[in-house]
Amino acid sequence: MSAEARPPRIGSPANLLGIARIAATPVVIVLVLAGAPGLGIAAAIVFALAAATDYFDGWIARRRGEVSPLGVFMDLTADKVLVAGVLIAMVEVDLLPTWMVALILVRELVIAGIRQVAAAENVVIAARALGKAKTMTTLVGMEVLLLAHDANTGGPLAPTGLGAALELLGVWLMVLATVLTVASGWDYLRGAFPLLQGRRP
C-alpha cells in the first residue's frame, strides 16, 4: 500500500516509537543526574533502547506505507530531543565539556534552520553521509560515556575497573563526533548556499 493510501496518524506504530523516544529522554536525564549506584547502567539501557527506535520507526513506516510529513517531523524531533537532553545532563555530571555540547547543539540549530528554509521552497535536503556518520558516532560515544558513568558511580560495572578506560574512549568518540559535527554542518551549509541566496540548488 502506498504512503498516499494511509493518512498520517499520530498513533501509527512508527510515530508511537518517536513518542516513546521523547518520553525516554527525561527518564535517562533523571537516571544520569541521580548518580546513585546502578542508575548509570539503567540510563545506558534506556538510552540504547531509545536510540534503537530511530532505526525501527523509519523501517516500520516504509514497510506499512505510512511515510508522511508528520512522521518525518516526529522522527527528527525525537532524535534532537533525546540527544540534546542527554548531552546537557552529561555536562551537568562532568562527563562532557560545555563547549563540545554547545557546538553540537548549535550545529543542529543551524541545520534545522536550513531545513526550514528548504521546506518553504519545497526542496528536500536528504541526509548526507557525513551527517549519518556524525549521528552514529555521537550515539555510540554517548552510550560508552553512560557505561563509564555507571562504573564511576559504584554501579554493576564498577568491579570491572573499566570506568577510566570507558570514559577515555567515550570522550575520544565524542571528540570525533564533534569533528564530524563541524564537517557535516559545513557540508550541509555549502550545499544550501544556492537556496539561501534565493536560487534553487
Side-chain angles (χ1 to χ4, degrees):
M1 184 175 292
S2 67
E4 290 77 15
R6 291 178 182 265
R9 297 182 299 114
I10 191 66
S12 69
N15 286 340
L16 288 176
L17 285 177
I19 293 172
R21 196 148 70 249
I22 294 173
T25 302
V27 175
V28 178
I29 291 173
V30 169
L31 291 172
V32 170
L33 296 181
L39 295 186
I41 194 70
I45 292 171
V46 175
F47 180 79
L49 292 174
T53 65
D54 183 30
Y55 169 77
F56 289 109
D57 59 3
W59 181 79
I60 291 173
R62 289 188 293 271
R63 286 292 298 270
R64 291 173 56 88
E66 293 181 334
V67 177
S68 67
L70 174 62
V72 173
F73 167 78
M74 184 66 68
D75 182 37
L76 292 175
T77 300
D79 292 346
K80 305 314 180 212
V81 169
L82 177 65
V83 171
V86 178
L87 282 177
I88 292 171
M90 286 181 168
V91 170
E92 185 67 20
V93 296
D94 295 324
L95 283 174
L96 286 174
T98 303
W99 68 265
M100 184 181 293
V101 173
L103 191 57
I104 292 173
L105 296 184
V106 166
R107 181 266 189 195
E108 296 301 333
L109 291 173
V110 171
I111 300 305
I114 291 174
R115 290 187 182 278
Q116 185 175 7
V117 172
E121 297 294 329
N122 293 318
V123 174
V124 176
I125 299 180
R128 296 170 181 259
L130 276 175
K132 293 179 179 179
K134 180 271 304 180
T135 298
M136 180 58 66
T137 306
T138 300
L139 292 176
V140 173
M142 292 172 69
E143 179 68 16
V144 172
L145 284 175
L146 289 174
L147 294 175
H149 185 57
D150 177 76
N152 293 334
T153 54
L157 293 179
T160 66
L162 294 175
L166 286 171
E167 186 169 358
L168 182 62
L169 174 61
V171 168
W172 277 108
L173 282 170
M174 291 306 297
V175 169
L176 175 59
T178 303
V179 172
L180 290 172
T181 291
V182 174
S184 63
W186 170 248
D187 187 40
Y188 276 105
L189 190 59
R190 183 182 59 182
F193 271 149
L195 184 64
L196 298 176
Q197 294 172 339
R199 297 182 286 114
R200 294 180 67 87

